[in-house]
Amino acid sequence: MKRGAPTWVLVQAVCLAAAMFIGAAGAWSRVNAPMSQQTLRNAVMKLRSQANETAVLLDERHLGLANDAFVREHARQLGDLVDSGVEDLVRKSVPPFLADDKESTVTQGRALRRLLEHADTDATTDAKRIAQALADIAATLPSHP
Amino acid sequence: MKKILETFLGILTAMGGFVEIGELTFTVNAGSKFHYRLLWVMMLGTIGIMVFCEMAGRIAAVRKLPVFQIVRERTGFSLGLLTLVSASAVCLLTCAAEIGAIAMIWQLLSGWPYRALILLALAFLLLSVWFLSFRWIERVFGLGGLLLIVYIVTALKLAPDWGTLAAGLVPTLPDRGSGQLTVYAFFAVALLSSIMLPYETYFYASGGIEDEWKPSDITLNRVIVLIGFTLGALLSVSLLVLGSEFFGAREIEIARPGSAALAPAWQLGQHGLLIALLGMFFAFAGAAIETALSAAYNLAQFFGWPWGKHRAPAQAPRFALCWIVVFVLAALVVSTGVDPVQVVEYSIVFSIVILPLTYLPLMLVAGDKRVMGQHVNGPLAATLGWGYFVIITLAAIAAIPLMILTHGGEG
């Protein structure tokens, strides 16, 4: 270190390295850890958000606010997100008392995926129904157990 | 007249270049989750980036010293190198996210496959930086980014409650018992980081040297920073309004850039949708170029290589090679299928972690009368400078624990 440079810069550098390591470890555990009640709830809420967004997207097409090409491609991007969320759910284990909730969420997620594949204008109600079903599941999972 | 035009263009490009994919998603989702409660963080961040860039621009105008030359001189080679590696990694991650976001926008417009569009975006960015001068890069992408004004129009049409919005300037915590305190803290830190992204300062200072700023340009520097960034912050506030009034009301959190365009489409129809998509394309492409060039500036300035867009690639070959490599690596990162929005979330969190490492050396130089002479930090700049140093250091310490505790802001 250059003479006169404050020693706390060294401390900061060590903290930075430690922070990067902790961050990488955190990211790794985020991907690989089994699902807690909270993480399952987060997954449900994410799918519900995507179902709500699907309803808006289909509404916009119905009202002529968004063109077919945009709706099709955005539905495809949303579908990929739903896919990865559902796959993540299927891959991860949950405690036995959450098994039913996980199964119901996967079912709703797959229904949303099918809906996004076709993105029919009259499917807005179905998207809203899926969002409601997911909200009901989330309501049974307290946010902070 | 030329000076006035230059100032005007500088303000507009600063405004148009204010938003990138990370700030867009974090701001909209902050509005969706917490309505206007995080507006004070946006004000804090905007003043912070003004303080940081004003100092960097002033040093560039007075001493022609770019950020990473200062970092090396003030902290020495070893620690400077650590800062350089961290800053370059964050620039690379941010560039990768911007390229992925451009490909997603183009996919919405063309229907072509995502990976093919990543390649096309890479070619477009390489050709743009190769053929356009620094000034034209700023103008094309900064002025193109002004199409994002469609979000301000949309926000106005959503008719927010101005009293509630203004109340957001006073810090308030989420309701007790909602279990949202840590998520709120994470969003506060992430939002601050997304506004004070360090690459903006590297690029701004290097740009001042590229534009051959002199001490007489200090006023120009201040006007661009004060007015341009304030107008840029208006864009960010409009995104917060959209988040609260449109997405929050429908319980949506966005995870794709195209999702943000649903609000202008709802309010303004297909024209609003198209303008929003084009505005995002210019803003993200501008950010991709800024991050790639920033990484190249940093490396060249640290090692003392010839650098600058004003030099032909043959005159600054290592600098040119650096930005080409950054673009190619960034495209490779997103080609793996990694989610660009998740990539930018990580890059924003790591940005705040490294921010104090570049902020402090810059502030020490700006406050050194032997270096800056009569243009040394005055009492206001010094007070704000040290105040922000404390704030960003606290945010840097809190960032990663908060990211882990909240599962990246999910709760």
Side-chain angles (χ1 to χ4, degrees), chain B residues 197-214:
Chain B
L197 284 171
Y199 82 82
E200 291 172 355
T201 309
Y202 315 149
F203 187 79
Y204 186 79
S206 302
I209 297 169
E210 293 257 24
D211 281 341
E212 298 177 332
W213 277 2
K214 299 177 284 297

Side-chain angles (χ1 to χ4, degrees), chain B residues 65-375:
Chain B
L65 278 173
V67 174
F68 267 82
Q69 191 176 331
I70 294 170
V71 168
R72 182 168 176 172
E73 283 177 11
R74 289 279 161 163
T75 65
F77 183 82
S78 305
L79 289 172
L81 188 65
L82 181 80
T83 309
L84 176 71
V85 171
S86 314
S88 303
V90 169
C91 280
L92 175 68
L93 283 181
T94 313
C95 186
E98 308 296 338
I99 291 177
I102 294 169
M104 282 180 173
I105 297 285
W106 280 358
Q107 192 179 34
L108 294 173
L109 292 165
S110 69
W112 292 8
Y114 176 63
R115 283 197 168 83
L117 289 168
I118 288 174
L119 275 180
L120 212 59
L122 171 65
F124 171 81
L125 293 168
L126 285 171
L127 291 173
S128 298
V129 179
W130 188 270
F131 288 110
L132 292 177
S133 67
F134 183 84
R135 198 159 280 192
W136 278 102
I137 287 174
E138 271 190 315
R139 286 178 186 169
V140 169
F141 295 99
L143 297 180
L146 287 177
L147 290 171
L148 291 179
I149 287 174
V150 73
Y151 284 116
I152 297 181
V153 177
T154 305
L156 290 172
K157 283 188 78 94
L158 283 166
D161 180 339
W162 296 106
T164 314
L165 180 64
L169 291 170
V170 181
T172 49
L173 296 176
D175 302 330
R176 275 189 178 184
S178 65
Q180 291 283 295
L181 191 60
T182 48
V183 182
Y184 175 86
F186 173 76
F187 266 86
V189 168
L191 213 51
L192 184 73
S193 177
S194 73
I195 296 170
M196 292 187 72
L197 284 171
Y199 82 82
E200 291 172 355
T201 309
Y202 315 149
F203 187 79
Y204 186 79
S206 302
I209 297 169
E210 293 257 24
D211 281 341
E212 298 177 332
W213 277 2
K214 299 177 284 297
S216 59
D217 289 312
I218 283 179
T219 309
L220 170 75
N221 170 42
R222 286 194 178 133
V223 170
I224 289 174
V225 161
L226 279 173
I227 303 179
F229 288 2
T230 303
L231 293 174
L234 274 184
L235 268 180
S236 301
V237 173
S238 69
L239 292 172
L240 193 76
V241 172
L242 258 59
S244 174
E245 304 293 333
F246 186 83
F247 294 103
R250 290 163 178 80
E251 296 179 292
I252 297 170
E253 281 183 40
I254 67 164
R256 286 288 170 267
S259 306
L262 292 174
W266 191 267
Q267 291 295 325
L268 307 165
Q270 294 193 18
H271 289 110
L273 174 68
L274 184 63
I275 294 169
L277 292 174
L278 288 175
M280 284 192 285
F281 156 66
F282 279 110
F284 301 162
I289 290 172
E290 286 185 18
T291 47
L293 281 178
S294 292
Y297 284 137
N298 294 350
L299 276 160
Q301 291 159 5
F302 186 84
F303 290 110
W305 305 333
W307 61 271
K309 270 294 292 160
H310 61 281
R311 290 189 165 97
Q315 293 174 313
R318 280 173 291 196
F319 170 73
L321 186 66
C322 283
W323 61 256
I324 291 170
V325 168
V326 172
F327 273 136
V328 172
L329 286 178
L332 281 174
V333 168
V334 273
S335 298
T336 60
V338 64
D339 183 348
V341 175
Q342 274 195 347
V343 170
V344 86
E345 283 174 9
Y346 284 109
S347 80
I348 279 180
V349 171
F350 286 122
S351 285
I352 194 86
V353 176
I354 65 164
L355 188 57
L357 294 175
T358 44
Y359 184 93
L360 182 77
L362 205 73
M363 202 170 58
L364 291 176
V365 169
D368 190 336
K369 198 165 174 54
R370 288 168 304 170
V371 180
M372 295 297 288
Q374 60 172 320
H375 302 292

Side-chain angles (χ1 to χ4, degrees), chain A residues 18-58:
Chain A
M20 295 284 183
F21 176 77
I22 293 167
W28 183 87
S29 68
R30 190 177 157 188
V31 171
N32 292 289
M35 276 192 158
S36 65
Q37 194 158 327
Q38 180 62 35
T39 47
L40 176 59
R41 189 174 188 278
N42 290 344
V44 176
M45 297 300 274
K46 211 182 264 186
L47 278 172
R48 189 189 66 148
S49 162
Q50 286 152 3
N52 283 331
E53 188 172 337
T54 305
V56 171
L57 183 70
L58 298 178

